[in-house]
Amino acid sequence: MEYNKQNMPKHIAIIMDGNRRWAKAKGKPASFGHKEGAKTLEKIVRYANKIGLEYITVYAFSTENWKRAEEEVNTIMVLLQNYLDDYSKRADSENIKVRIIGDRTALSKGMQKSMENCMERTKNNTGVNFNIAINYGGRDELVKATKSIAEKVKEGKLQIQDIDEDLISNNLYTANQPDPDLIVRTSGELRLSGFLTWQSVYSELLFIDKYWPDFTEEDLDYSIIEYQKRKRKFGAN
Ligand code: FPP
């Protein structure tokens, strides 16, 4: 089945869930699942770029994921850093524009450097906008936006009556980006877990009963077809 090229979602966000269960089912360690998950992500982003999707945002590491075993956290961080360094190297051959969303201050200096370098190297690319959420939490993002707005009010740079939805949107990590039209979560879990809390209010949700490493290009096509069947009302009739 083919999706309709005229009614494409502009922005798809993905919660890449199920890496560990995928690995466990194969009798392998969690790290094996994350490595495969990273490969799947690379393939899906390349495909998203090929089909002309404008924005893709993925949840790579949440503010809650620090509670995992240190070894697993380290594995994910090393994977992420290598992943960003690879994109930096391929910045000219793959037309993908990388942005990191989340609180970078808690991450290692090396990781922060890789993030900045990757964003800098890919900033003039004109293909898909690829947002990677790292140390991201939707409530945390809103707390930070609130503090930053309060600070401006305190300094007299902003009046309370200036605070509106656009102002809040523009104080989030995703400032100037469209809200996700569709959020896909793999692995059969039915929740958003603080992913794009503010931005997701009118997103269509799709839950796919497959672990993330098994997600394919056809699954992305299927997600777009499912999205195109939805009637979006944004609160109207
Ligand atoms: C969810 O599966 C996945 C994560 C918490 C991390 C996502 C990480 C990757 C896809 C690999 C690294 C990412 C990049 C960008 C290189 P889970 O661990 O919660 O699995 P489970 O639900 O089966 O326990």
Side-chain angles (χ1 to χ4, degrees):
M1 217 166 132
E2 276 258 340
Y3 54 81
N4 171 3
K5 292 188 178 60
Q6 305 310 315
N7 177 27
M8 285 286 281
K10 229 183 191 175
H11 184 177
I12 297 181
I14 305 179
I15 302 177
M16 310 177 286
D17 200 8
N19 289 346
R20 292 189 299 190
R21 277 168 284 166
W22 181 88
K24 195 167 178 205
K26 294 187 154 40
K28 305 267 189 184
S31 57
F32 183 69
H34 293 314
K35 275 182 202 142
E36 282 305 305
K39 283 189 205 159
T40 299
L41 179 59
E42 194 179 316
K43 177 182 75 183
I44 294 302
V45 173
R46 193 169 293 139
Y47 184 64
N49 190 46
K50 182 177 148 200
I51 64 175
L53 192 71
E54 288 184 52
Y55 293 85
I56 183 163
T57 301
V58 300
Y59 211 172
F61 195 84
S62 79
T63 46
E64 311 310 311
N65 286 149
W66 295 108
K67 294 176 196 151
R68 295 190 177 192
E70 196 180 332
E71 193 192 327
E72 189 186 345
V73 170
N74 288 341
T75 302
I76 297 178
M77 289 298 161
V78 169
L79 262 178
L80 276 168
Q81 197 172 346
N82 290 340
Y83 192 82
L84 294 172
D85 292 344
D86 279 350
Y87 265 108
S88 300
K89 282 186 210 135
R90 288 186 273 127
D92 298 327
S93 57
E94 267 188 271
N95 195 20
I96 291 167
K97 184 170 173 174
V98 177
R99 266 209 74 76
I100 308 297
I101 62 169
D103 182 1
R104 284 181 242 160
T105 58
L107 303 169
S108 74
K109 288 278 169 292
M111 174 68 107
Q112 292 187 37
K113 227 178 150 52
S114 292
M115 289 173 162
E116 276 147 31
N117 188 37
C118 188
M119 288 194 279
E120 181 59 30
R121 289 284 292 112
T122 62
K123 74 174 182 201
N124 294 324
N125 285 348
T126 54
V128 70
N129 290 280
F130 175 30
N131 295 319
I132 311 175
I134 302 175
N135 196 23
Y136 174 88
R139 287 188 174 179
D140 185 59
E141 181 180 38
L142 283 165
V143 168
K144 289 193 167 62
T146 306
K147 282 185 180 162
S148 149
I149 293 168
E151 201 63 48
K152 285 176 203 142
V153 172
K154 194 170 134 196
E155 290 167 2
K157 290 183 185 154
L158 198 69
Q159 302 298 309
I160 288 190
Q161 54 272 25
D162 297 333
I163 301 175
D164 60 11
E165 294 188 7
D166 283 342
L167 184 92
I168 293 176
S169 293
N170 286 325
N171 275 277
L172 302 177
Y173 298 119
T174 50
N176 302 318
Q177 301 202 19
D179 289 338
D181 300 297
L182 173 68
I183 300 182
V184 177
R185 183 174 190 147
T186 57
S187 94
E189 302 293 333
L190 306 178
R191 59 181 171 274
L192 292 180
S193 306
F195 189 41
L196 304 172
T197 302
W198 172 274
Q199 301 88 335
S200 62
V201 282
Y202 287 116
S203 303
E204 296 297 327
L205 306 180
L206 181 67
F207 298 98
I208 293 187
D209 207 0
K210 230 182 203 202
Y211 297 137
W212 172 250
D214 287 331
F215 195 86
T216 62
E217 287 102 332
E218 289 73 33
D219 291 320
L220 194 70
D221 285 347
Y222 165 80
S223 303
I224 296 171
I225 292 166
E226 283 301 304
Y227 166 81
Q228 292 179 336
K229 289 183 192 161
R230 307 280 176 93
K231 229 189 181 69
R232 303 191 77 193
K233 299 199 292 190
F234 299 98
N237 289 323

